[in-house]
């Protein structure tokens, strides 16, 4: 197998793109494509200040690396979720992911914001999940509320123009698959590589949304990025992993099917399908405690949850 660009020995074979590349040209291809997607979906301009949500995983650390290689001003934000049951690394999932994120940032002299949820609000994610109505047996729902709240808070309070996350094609296709199974019109109308800024909610972008997960793993490994291999222990048995497995079966039989599923959706949307009806757009109010936008008339779900668990 030869590199399509230089004719040297190819190390990656991107079947879905009918493209084989050597290490050097693959490591250039990923940022080139990312730059194309940033422009195509009008994610941000060259002078905007970007906050990258980093988890210690391959996608978010690679995203940070790519944005810096493209010349953007990008700082990182790590949320310490306190998920530390005994794990492969012996350190616990959150401790190990924090260590690797700090290492990545310090080796490159980068600015990393860290918010430890337990130190800041008194409770880790597992404790919040065990003690709030929302979380019984399902920490991911609590975790989602906390992440959304904190990412937005730091982006807004620290004056960033845009919040970037490392969601890849496999993540987006799984979400799309779930929304399609239930024909969730409001979610289908909102899923897009960019969520514009609105009523105090920071603009959110997903520059890696058109790369396969395995492409990002190859990028991280070939770039020598040290990332956490283990998954969050609470992801085991989740619906999104089940959907990913189903889509992988399809992809195995028909290479490229996952990409066609997601990209055809983006094209259909650009052509006017799934327009967001005004009637399902919730009116947003400011939470009287934290000031963040919420669709409820009183305190936001994050503040209600912290108050409830703290009063027990
Ligand atoms: S970190 Fe949080 Fe995920 Fe763990 S508890 Fe669930 S949502 S699985 S990406
Ligand atoms: Zn080459
Ligand atoms: Zn609030």
């Amino acid at each position: 197998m030869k590199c399509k660009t230089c004719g040297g020995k190819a190390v990656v074979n991107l079947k879905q793109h009918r493209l084989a590349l050597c290490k050097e040209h693959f490591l250039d291809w990923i940022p080139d494509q990312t730059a194309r997607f940033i422009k195509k979906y009008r994610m941000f301009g060259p002078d905007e200040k970007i906050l990258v949500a980093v988890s210690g995983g391959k996608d978010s650390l690679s995203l940070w690396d790519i944005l810096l290689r493209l010349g953007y001003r990008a700082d990182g934000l790590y949320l310490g979720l306190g998920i530390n049951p005994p794990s492969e690394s012996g350190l616990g999932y959150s401790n190990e992911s924090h260590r690797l994120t700090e290492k990545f940032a310090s080796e490159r002299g980068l600015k990393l914001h860290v918010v430890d949820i337990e130190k800041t609000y008194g409770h880790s994610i597992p404790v919040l999940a065990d003690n709030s109505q929302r979380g019984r047996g399902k920490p991911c729902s609590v975790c989602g509320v906390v992440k959304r709240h904190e990412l937005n808070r730091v982006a807004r309070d620290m004056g960033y123009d845009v919040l970037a996350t490392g969601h890849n094609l496999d993540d987006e296709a799984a979400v799309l698959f779930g929304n399609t199974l239930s024909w969730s019109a409001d979610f289908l109308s909102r899923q897009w590589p960019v969520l514009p800024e609105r009523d105090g909610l920071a603009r959110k972008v997903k520059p890696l949304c058109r790369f396969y997960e395995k492409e990002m793993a190859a990028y991280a490994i070939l770039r020598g990025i040290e990332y956490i291999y283990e998954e969050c222990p609470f992801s085991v048995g989740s619906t999104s992993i089940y959907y990913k497995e189903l889509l992988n079966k399809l992809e195995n039989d028909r290479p490229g099917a996952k990409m066609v599923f997601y990209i055809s959706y983006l094209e259909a949307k650009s052509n006017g399908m799934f327009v967001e009806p005004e009637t399902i757009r919730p009116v947003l109010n400011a939470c009287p405690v934290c000031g963040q936008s919420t669709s409820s008339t009183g305190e936001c779900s994050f503040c209600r949850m912290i108050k409830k668990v703290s009063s027990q």
Side-chain angles (χ1 to χ4, degrees), residues 58-78:
K58 62 185 182 319
D59 304 295
S60 55
L61 291 179
S62 295
L63 172 61
W64 201 0
D65 177 73
I66 293 164
L67 294 178
L68 295 167
R69 285 182 70 198
L70 289 171
Y72 288 105
R73 287 190 295 158
D75 298 335
L77 166 59
Y78 176 83

Side-chain angles (χ1 to χ4, degrees), residues 3-8 21-25:
C3 170
K4 196 178 176 187
T5 309
C6 69
L21 292 169
C22 69
K23 177 179 172 182
E24 183 195 339
H25 289 115

Side-chain angles (χ1 to χ4, degrees), residues 50-58 60-61 64 74-84 89 91-106 110-121 125 143 146-147 150-155 158 160 163-165 226-228 230 232-233:
I50 305 161
L51 183 64
V52 184
V54 275
S55 67
K58 62 185 182 319
S60 55
L61 291 179
W64 201 0
D75 298 335
L77 166 59
Y78 176 83
L79 299 181
L81 305 172
I83 300 175
N84 288 309
S89 63
L91 261 185
Y93 171 75
S94 287
N95 289 338
E96 177 65 355
S97 60
H98 186 198
R99 183 185 75 79
L100 291 168
T101 307
E102 288 280 5
K103 185 167 186 265
F104 179 94
S106 66
L110 305 175
K111 184 165 177 184
L112 175 68
H113 304 279
V114 177
V115 177
D116 184 301
I117 300 300
E118 186 174 5
K119 282 190 192 137
T120 314
Y121 296 103
I125 295 295
C143 189
V146 171
K147 281 186 195 167
E150 291 302 282
L151 295 178
N152 195 64
R153 178 179 68 78
V154 176
M158 303 275 185
Y160 288 92
L163 178 65
T165 58
E226 211 184 326
Y227 63 89
I228 185 160
E230 64 193 279
C232 170

